[in-house]
Amino acid sequence: MLGSITPLGERSRGMRWTVTATAFAIGAAAGGSLLGAAAAAAGRPALGGLTSGWALAALAGATGVGLAVDLGLGGMRVPGPRRQVDERWLRRYRGWVYGLGFGFQLGAGVLTIVTTSTVYVTLAAAALSGSIAAGSMVGAVFGIARALTLIPAGRIQTPAAVVAVDGTLRRHEAAARRLALAATGGVLVAALVLAVS
């Protein structure tokens, strides 16, 4: 789907890529922010009298489980929906409408296919943040990070460029997975260190 939101694709539909991409970024930030706020609101009663050390320990635990799932230990797989955004929107709506809608769904993280436990670790961080504002900020940062995936598409002006970018993404897929696992491990270590300090 994101391969469809390129300057080339937008021109073919009579849309402007900058408008669609901006709407996508706004939708992703809003989707992430809303989900983060909801997670924080749900987590507040559970936090009760927990100190920040215990909340960080809980985050470390959630991150450890997520890392085990991402590594496939014990045959575990990341749970979540098996749906993607509706590509028919590309033909039905204006660029800013599908940009906003696609961005919202992908920024929220759990409304489309979930490929990494990082989505759930983010929800845990929002839930354990202690405030709706902090949870909303955690979610917004997550959504904005998802929106950044459109940046490589901004250079696509020809069909050959689509193939080239797709090839580049495939070549870097394993490295990106290792980087994501390392980042998740970094969150685990940081949460443990902060929990005991």
Side-chain angles (χ1 to χ4, degrees):
M1 184 287 309
L2 291 180
S4 302
I5 301 179
T6 66
L8 175 67
E10 291 304 287
R11 270 198 320 274
S12 74
R13 290 184 289 274
M15 309 295 171
R16 291 179 50 217
W17 183 80
T18 53
V19 172
T20 303
T22 300
F24 183 93
I26 291 167
S33 179
L34 183 63
L35 192 68
R44 284 178 79 181
L47 287 174
L50 284 183
T51 64
S52 60
W54 281 108
L56 286 164
L59 178 60
T63 305
V65 169
L67 194 55
V69 169
D70 283 346
L71 290 169
L73 300 181
M76 292 186 289
R77 293 176 37 156
V78 179
R82 293 287 165 223
R83 67 173 289 277
Q84 193 53 282
V85 296
D86 189 346
E87 289 198 32
R88 292 175 296 184
W89 288 16
L90 295 169
R91 293 179 302 279
R92 288 187 185 158
Y93 304 113
R94 304 284 302 158
W96 70 268
V97 174
Y98 58 74
L100 197 62
F102 289 175
F104 185 89
Q105 292 174 70
L106 293 171
V110 296
L111 300 177
T112 58
I113 295 170
V114 179
T115 59
T116 175
S117 69
T118 307
V119 173
Y120 298 114
V121 170
T122 301
L123 285 175
L128 295 166
S129 67
S131 78
I132 292 173
S136 177
M137 183 62 68
V138 168
V141 169
F142 174 81
I144 291 167
R146 302 274 318 244
L148 293 175
T149 60
L150 276 185
I151 290 175
R155 298 185 312 249
I156 297 176
Q157 302 290 339
T158 65
V162 173
V163 174
V165 167
D166 186 54
T168 300
L169 292 174
R170 287 183 194 278
R171 279 193 307 278
H172 292 91
E173 187 174 355
R177 177 171 163 65
R178 287 191 299 272
L179 181 63
L181 289 170
T184 304
V187 169
L188 173 61
V189 169
L192 285 172
V193 168
L194 291 170
V196 297
S197 63

